[in-house]
C-alpha cells in the first residue's frame, strides 16, 4: 500500500494534523462518486468521508461520515492508500495537514436525508481527478481506480 505526501510544511507553521478516512466508489460506467459541496464562495469536490473521531476505527469513520453527508449506508472494502497534504484552507489563511486513509467502498441503501448543501455526484474518473480540491485526494482517486480495475479483472468485486 502506497503512502504519499503532497507539499511541504513551512518552517514555523503549525498545520494541525487531521487524520481522516475516506471511501471511493465507482459505477459500471467508470465514474467515481464524489461529494459535491455547495460552499458560499465556490463549488467544492472532495472524497466521501472525513475526520476520525477519538476511539473510532477508519472503517467506522467512513460509514459514519457518508451517512451524515449523503444519507447512504456503505460497505467499506479494501484499503487503497494513505495520502497527506500540507496546504492552507479558506483563501490560504488556515494551515491544514489532512492525513487521508483511503478505502474502496460500495454504496448501500439511502437511509437518511444527509447534510444540506452536500450532494453525491458521479463524474468520469479523469474529470473527477481534475476537479478535486486537494492534490492527495486526486491522487487517491487514481490509486483507487487502478485497484478497482485490478480487482474487477480478478473477479473480486
Amino acid at each position: 500500500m502506497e503512502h504519499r505526501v503532497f507539499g511541504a510544511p513551512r518552517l514555523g507553521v503549525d498545520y494541525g494534523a487531521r487524520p481522516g478516512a475516506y471511501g471511493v466508489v465507482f459505477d459500471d460506467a467508470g465514474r467515481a462518486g464524489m461529494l459535491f459541496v455547495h460552499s458560499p464562495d465556490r463549488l467544492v469536490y472532495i472524497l466521501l468521508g472525513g475526520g476520525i473521531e477519538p476511539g473510532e476505527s477508519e472503517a467506522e469513520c467512513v460509514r459514519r461520515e457518508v451517512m451524515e453527508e449523503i444519507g447512504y449506508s456503505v460497505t467499506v472494502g479494501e484499503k487503497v492508500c494513505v495520502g497527506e497534504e500540507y496546504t492552507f484552507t479558506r483563501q490560504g489563511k488556515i494551515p491544514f495537514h489532512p492525513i487521508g486513509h483511503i478505502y474502496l467502498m460500495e454504496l448501500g441503501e439511502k437511509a437518511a436525508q444527509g447534510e444540506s448543501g452536500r450532494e453525491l455526484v458521479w463524474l468520469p474518473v479523469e474529470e473527477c481527478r481534475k476537479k478535486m480540491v486537494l492534490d492527495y485526494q486526486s491522487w487517491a482517486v487514481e490509486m483507487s481506480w487502478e485497484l478497482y480495475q485490478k480487482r474487477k479483472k480478478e473477479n473480486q468485486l
Side-chain angles (χ1 to χ4, degrees), residues 91-134:
Q91 294 84 30
K93 294 180 182 173
I94 301 171
F96 185 48
H97 178 203
I99 304 165
H101 300 267
I102 313 300
Y103 289 82
L104 289 178
M105 71 176 180
E106 294 180 23
L107 283 182
E109 298 294 318
K110 177 99 171 156
Q113 180 58 37
E115 295 176 6
S116 176
R118 295 174 185 264
E119 168 184 358
L120 173 65
V121 296
W122 294 93
L123 299 172
V125 171
E126 192 55 40
E127 183 181 344
C128 171
R129 290 185 59 236
K130 292 175 185 175
K131 289 188 174 191
M132 301 299 292
V133 172
L134 296 167

Side-chain angles (χ1 to χ4, degrees), residues 1-7 17-24 47 52 58 62 78-86 97-104 134-144 147:
M1 178 184 53
E2 209 168 327
H3 185 140
R4 187 167 168 193
V5 178
F6 293 80
R18 181 67 168 138
Y22 301 85
V24 183
L47 293 178
I52 300 170
E58 293 168 3
V62 172
E78 187 174 353
K79 190 168 187 176
V80 178
C81 59
V82 177
E84 302 183 40
E85 190 163 343
Y86 289 94
H97 178 203
I99 304 165
H101 300 267
I102 313 300
Y103 289 82
L104 289 178
L134 296 167
D135 292 337
Y136 93 87
Q137 289 194 355
S138 177
W139 168 77
V141 169
E142 179 181 338
M143 298 298 295
S144 299
L147 182 60

